[in-house]
Amino acid sequence: MKEKKIAILTSGGDCQGMNAVINIIVRIASLRNIKVFGIMHGYKGLYEDNFIQLSNEMVENISSLGGTILKTSRFLEFKKDSVVKKCVKILQQREIDALIIVGGDGSFKGAKELSKNGANVICIPATIDNDLRYTSRCLGFDTAVNNACKYIENVEQTMEALDRGVVIEVMGRYCGDIALYCAVSTACDIIALPENPINEEELIDRVKYCIKEKKKIPVVVVAEKMFDVKEIAQTLTKETGYEFKYSVVGYIQRGGSPSVQDKSLAMQFAVRAMELIEDKNYNRALGFNNKIFDVDLESALKSEYNFNYELLNLFYLLNYKK
Ligand code: F6P
């Protein structure tokens, strides 16, 4: 019987748990005599035919590491039809039965193009932004929120000691999940996020309300790009008479060891991916909604917006009602 060969790549922004997925895939494959190739630097490496064969020894002790041993890239050329076609050809020449793609929204769109051109793909949602809407959890999100919360709590303590306010920016391009879960898990008073944007005037209003009614100089959490945090901190200082600092959480959100939740998610995603490959059930996207599931890749990408407005409304209820 022909030997089975699979490949795996990590794509887009790295996140915690990618290495844990690679570790489990390689270990299961070795038990089943399946050859696994790692493709370096995501879709860029696929285009450049940059494959390495992975062994158990190579993935030993990587599960707790942030980043990805396969490296990743944002490879915009992948939008070109000719690039996709060349990639499919490389997979065919190498006789790869299935390609596991670990990444976010852009990576899934790339995967769809590969599958339309004849490749067999399995997609694992991995992005700290948590912005793939068919699944309630993406790999990396839980760790990123935990990292950001620790940072916010440290900042809160020093601000409180000096009676200062602070505006803290968290990651999440076009998606407020990190901001929301950080806000409800810390002593944050005000939130600004794309799912319910507020303008400068509204923000000033909420800050003044917090000072007057809660007798607290507020901690404001803003999702990336909602405000220029430096400018808005200066404005709040002028408007309130209290000193406001700003702070950007930045890349500590995306690095470091995956949380227990992300490690167990990584393991479950990897196991299901290998089951699907065994069953030749390709072009599926994995998700988690209290339990692991898989859906057709096309429908995953068309999925409805599933932002947790209930949680946001609870936050509003506790913080803004007069
Ligand atoms: O991977 C998601 C993310 O961290 C976003 O939250 C952020 O906007 C973006 O990536 C930053 O990307 P890069 O590191 O490529 O600038």
Side-chain angles (χ1 to χ4, degrees), residues 12-14 74 127-129 171-173 178 224-225 251 254:
D14 60 288
R74 300 196 187 276
T127 161
I128 63 162
D129 289 359
M171 277 186 171
R173 203 164 27 186
I178 295 181
E224 206 177 327
K225 309 252 186 294
Y251 287 99
R254 222 162 72 184

Side-chain angles (χ1 to χ4, degrees), residues 27-34 271 274-275 278:
R27 283 164 53 199
I28 298 176
S30 95
L31 290 173
R32 299 191 185 149
N33 286 323
I34 299 172
V271 169
M274 292 305 282
E275 282 168 0
E278 192 105 322

Side-chain angles (χ1 to χ4, degrees), residues 10 64 80 103 203 213 217 242 250 267 295 299 314 319-320:
T10 49
S64 295
K80 288 186 203 149
L203 178 59
E213 302 296 330
I217 311 159
Y242 286 99
M267 178 188 276
V295 285
S299 58
L314 280 181
N319 287 287
Y320 304 144

Side-chain angles (χ1 to χ4, degrees), residues 121-122 273 275-284 294:
V121 299
I122 302 288
E275 282 168 0
L276 291 171
I277 289 171
E278 192 105 322
D279 296 345
K280 297 196 166 85
N281 189 359
Y282 301 127
N283 307 327
R284 310 288 291 169
D294 58 272

Side-chain angles (χ1 to χ4, degrees), residues 128-130 133 137 141 145 148-149 152 168 170-172 175-196 221-224 253 305-316 319-320:
I128 63 162
D129 289 359
N130 209 40
R133 293 308 184 185
R137 277 290 169 276
F141 173 69
V145 170
C149 283
I152 293 169
I168 305 179
V170 295
M171 277 186 171
C175 180
D177 281 23
I178 295 181
L180 174 63
Y181 283 81
C182 281
V184 299
S185 315
T186 61
C188 163
D189 306 284
I190 296 161
I191 188 171
L193 73 190
E195 288 76 5
N196 192 15
V221 168
V222 307
E224 206 177 327
Q253 283 159 105
Y305 204 56
N306 73 349
F307 183 74
N308 194 343
Y309 281 103
E310 275 171 36
L311 193 59
L312 180 62
N313 286 332
L314 280 181
F315 178 82
Y316 288 153
N319 287 287
Y320 304 144

